[in-house]
Amino acid sequence: MDTEMPAPAKEAAGRAAARYVKSGMRVGLGTGSTVHWTIVELGERCSAGDLRIVCTATSMRTEDLASSMGLEVMTPDEIGALDLAIDGADEVDPQLNLTKGGGGAHTREKLIAQMAPRFVVVVDETKLVDALGPFGTPIEVLDFAPGVVARRVQALGAGTVTEREARSDNGNLLMDAHFGTISDPALLAGELSRIPGIVEHGLFLADMVERVVIAHGDGSVREITRSEL
Ligand code: 5RP
């Protein structure tokens, strides 16, 4: 499989997922270069008068993009509940567990995905993996005792835990933990959630996911729905 996917595949996946958005919906908008195209498609349909929706955004850059496309963006508290959330992912395993947080937005992304009964994921085929882990597991960490947190993550089996230069939109530190192959994402997700000082980790378990829209390098787009597995 290619490690570099041409941008048209991201555009194809992103635009294809917009078909699940219908007038009157409250929509959670994810972050990244694939869901970028979902937001563009939604903006174009709204500008043409074909769609009427309200949105909430998982990052400041998504809020800026959505507003620039003419979409109405509210805070999560203002919008209250969602009908659908759409977002990208860094890894998708065969059960549809995800790694997210490559863009450091996973805390807001998880919060918003969990506000919606339907979570649609958009990726190109390079994101499909046999098991989560090679990308690393993003972790948002309070800037209080990052060394203590990193050591606890290492005690769970991470070979290395690296700190990013960039912070999250929430002002917190971002780290990447490298566990190698993650054999039990649910177990690891529970263990990471129990470490005080971790604001959120980037393991999104399959029970959140309705479907994954996947674009291939040849231009084709297919979907995997969790109920089919
Ligand atoms: C940001 C994310 C993104 O959804 C993920 O990194 C995928 O991004 P892209 O579509 O640019 O590959 O989790 O925190």
Side-chain angles (χ1 to χ4, degrees):
M1 189 187 299
D2 290 344
T3 50
E4 286 294 326
M5 183 60 55
K10 288 176 182 266
E11 179 171 353
R15 286 189 183 271
R19 85 174 74 126
Y20 293 104
V21 179
K22 309 287 183 211
S23 274
M25 280 188 169
R26 299 157 297 180
V27 182
L29 302 175
T31 295
S33 55
T34 316
V35 77
H36 168 100
W37 291 107
T38 311
I39 299 164
V40 169
E41 175 83 18
L42 294 176
E44 288 171 356
R45 283 169 53 191
C46 283
S47 300
D50 296 336
L51 187 68
R52 239 180 350 87
I53 56 171
V54 291
C55 305
T56 194
T58 54
S59 64
M60 293 194 267
R61 56 191 182 277
T62 288
E63 183 175 348
D64 290 346
L65 172 64
S67 299
S68 75
M69 292 298 302
L71 295 169
E72 183 180 349
V73 184
M74 306 168 84
T75 67
D77 280 356
E78 286 167 344
I79 206 165
L82 297 176
D83 299 294
L84 180 72
I86 306 178
D87 205 345
D90 300 298
E91 292 178 328
V92 180
D93 80 6
Q95 288 73 46
L96 307 190
N97 297 299
L98 314 175
T99 299
K100 287 186 49 53
H106 57 277
T107 300
R108 295 185 185 199
E109 290 172 337
K110 196 175 282 185
L111 191 156
I112 283 173
Q114 289 189 352
M115 287 172 66
R118 302 178 59 199
F119 182 39
V120 174
V121 177
V122 288
V123 294
D124 64 59
E125 64 177 328
T126 64
K127 307 297 183 68
L128 304 179
V129 294
D130 293 333
L132 302 186
F135 183 82
T137 303
I139 301 172
E140 180 165 349
V141 176
L142 280 187
D143 192 358
F144 174 62
V148 173
V149 171
R151 282 194 292 281
R152 291 202 57 183
V153 173
Q154 280 179 304
L156 294 178
T160 56
V161 180
T162 52
E163 192 175 313
R164 296 189 201 172
E165 278 182 28
R167 289 182 179 244
S168 72
D169 283 355
N170 310 310
N172 294 311
L173 298 174
L174 291 165
M175 296 183 179
D176 294 285
H178 297 274
F179 291 98
T181 298
I182 298 172
S183 56
D184 190 339
L187 178 68
L188 181 59
E191 289 173 331
L192 289 169
S193 294
R194 282 192 289 278
I195 298 178
I198 290 185
V199 178
E200 195 50 77
H201 57 78
L203 296 176
F204 285 46
L205 300 180
D207 59 3
M208 296 174 63
V209 177
E210 176 186 284
R211 70 186 64 235
V212 180
V213 179
I214 304 155
H216 292 264
D218 64 5
S220 62
V221 176
R222 69 184 170 108
E223 297 190 10
I224 307 175
T225 307
R226 194 165 54 88
S227 57
E228 297 168 348
L229 296 177

